[in-house]
Amino acid sequence: MALIATAAILMIAVPAALRWRLTWPEGREWKVVAASSSVPETLSVGETLRTDPTEWAIVRVARLGWMRVLGDADVTLQNTGGGRHRLALQRGTLRVRVWSPPFSIFISTPAGEVIDLGCEFLVTASDEQTELEVLSGWVQLENRYGEALVPEGALSVMVQDARPRVPVFKDAAAEFHDAVRTAEIDKNLDAIDTIVRTSRPRDVLTLLLLATRMPQERERLLLRAHELAPVLTDDELSEAIAWNDRSVWRWTGALPLPSPKDWKRNWRDALRPIF
């Protein structure tokens, strides 16, 4: 009977605790829990937190997690409440760790939006570009030209006048990373030789996404991806090469990557100490 009673209590308490964690009163300020110098103890809606190059601050993100503001930053809390929160990062670096459903945190930058999918990430913004490194889970980059989903362990870049760049895993060969960015930015087809030569099975995601953006090199990229991760049948591969993106997305979904919306699998992020 005691076990049954305990189970019943947990069935009530756990969902209630989760609801409490995921809700936040409209317009309530966020608490600054630590800082390298004298800054306000709270960050209110409409207020901007500025740090110089030698300063830092740690802010509690509602009840969802933490945000570390690194030197020479300019970040504004635009609105907060319920399950949605929005920041504007004009410049500088944020390290954000939250445990929450997708689309809980939006960060506007000069190049576009950074949207958390239940994760930990580093984002650095300037007038020229936004740089992203995903440490846990997934992050979505989005601007008026398109979007990019970036998984754990990967890097991406976003500028104002182009679609966000395809993700490249941080541990990829430097030659591979540089060639991917060259191919995207300059449409340099010679870079495809380096991409094909230096790619690994872990880089197949990059190959697939790049193939959807470079029609003239689609076949080479997909054939290399098939060598590294032969997921599709020969007929499906032919369809993918013939510009059937549904086959490419099916291929992407078969890679050993977690679902972007499976945020609960990162529950350890909620228990880890403040960085």
Side-chain angles (χ1 to χ4, degrees):
M1 292 295 293
L3 289 176
I4 295 174
T6 300
I9 291 171
L10 288 174
M11 289 177 64
I12 297 172
V14 171
L18 185 59
R19 285 195 300 271
W20 176 83
R21 180 185 178 90
L22 300 181
T23 58
W24 188 252
E26 189 77 28
R28 177 181 287 184
E29 69 277 2
W30 291 357
K31 184 174 178 59
V32 179
V33 298
S36 63
S37 59
S38 179
V39 299
E41 295 183 354
T42 60
L43 180 61
S44 300
V45 173
E47 188 173 36
T48 299
L49 177 61
R50 295 184 176 90
T51 57
D52 70 28
T54 64
E55 293 178 325
W56 56 267
I58 296 176
V59 181
R60 183 73 191 251
V61 178
R63 300 186 183 106
L64 303 180
W66 311 94
M67 172 179 74
R68 187 180 184 103
V69 183
L70 300 177
D72 199 22
D74 185 321
V75 59
T76 302
L77 180 59
Q78 293 186 318
N79 57 64
T80 183
R84 296 292 178 92
H85 311 271
R86 180 175 290 277
L87 296 153
L89 178 64
Q90 190 63 33
R91 70 173 191 276
T93 298
L94 301 179
R95 179 171 177 173
V96 180
R97 184 201 302 151
V98 293
W99 187 66
S100 61
F103 310 108
S104 295
I105 308 293
F106 293 76
I107 302 175
S108 298
T109 74
E113 298 249 289
V114 179
I115 306 169
D116 114 88
L117 300 179
C119 53
E120 181 177 356
F121 60 93
L122 277 163
V123 56
T124 300
S126 67
D127 290 339
E128 291 74 35
Q129 65 181 21
T130 296
E131 301 174 24
L132 173 73
E133 177 182 351
V134 181
L135 305 174
S136 173
W138 291 74
V139 174
Q140 180 172 312
L141 295 179
E142 182 176 313
N143 62 18
R144 62 194 181 97
Y145 291 94
E147 64 182 40
L149 284 175
V150 186
E152 178 178 326
L155 310 169
S156 187
V157 177
M158 180 168 55
V159 295
Q160 293 184 22
D161 58 355
R163 187 175 181 180
R165 308 304 183 195
V166 298
V168 177
F169 285 103
K170 188 177 182 179
D171 60 1
E175 279 186 284
F176 178 83
H177 179 276
D178 293 345
V180 169
R181 296 298 178 234
T182 298
E184 286 185 296
I185 297 169
D186 299 333
K187 306 302 180 185
N188 186 331
L189 302 185
D190 291 338
I192 302 298
D193 292 335
T194 302
I195 292 170
V196 169
R197 175 172 55 82
T198 59
S199 55
R200 318 158 294 165
R202 181 167 163 81
D203 299 320
V204 167
L205 175 66
T206 303
L207 296 177
L208 296 178
L209 296 177
L210 197 58
T212 65
R213 302 187 183 193
M214 299 190 70
Q216 66 273 46
E217 293 296 325
R218 183 182 179 98
E219 183 171 359
R220 287 190 68 196
L221 291 167
L222 292 182
L223 288 174
R224 177 55 175 163
H226 186 65
E227 290 177 6
L228 297 170
V231 171
L232 302 185
T233 66
D234 289 344
D235 288 344
E236 289 173 330
L237 177 61
S238 297
E239 289 180 6
I241 292 173
W243 207 256
N244 184 343
D245 276 349
R246 286 178 298 177
S247 296
V248 176
W249 302 135
R250 185 163 61 250
W251 195 342
T252 301
L255 297 176
L257 298 167
S259 167
K261 295 185 179 181
D262 188 19
W263 61 279
K264 292 181 181 178
R265 68 179 288 274
N266 298 317
W267 60 270
R268 291 179 181 83
D269 287 349
L271 304 179
R272 290 163 58 193
I274 301 175
F275 33 67

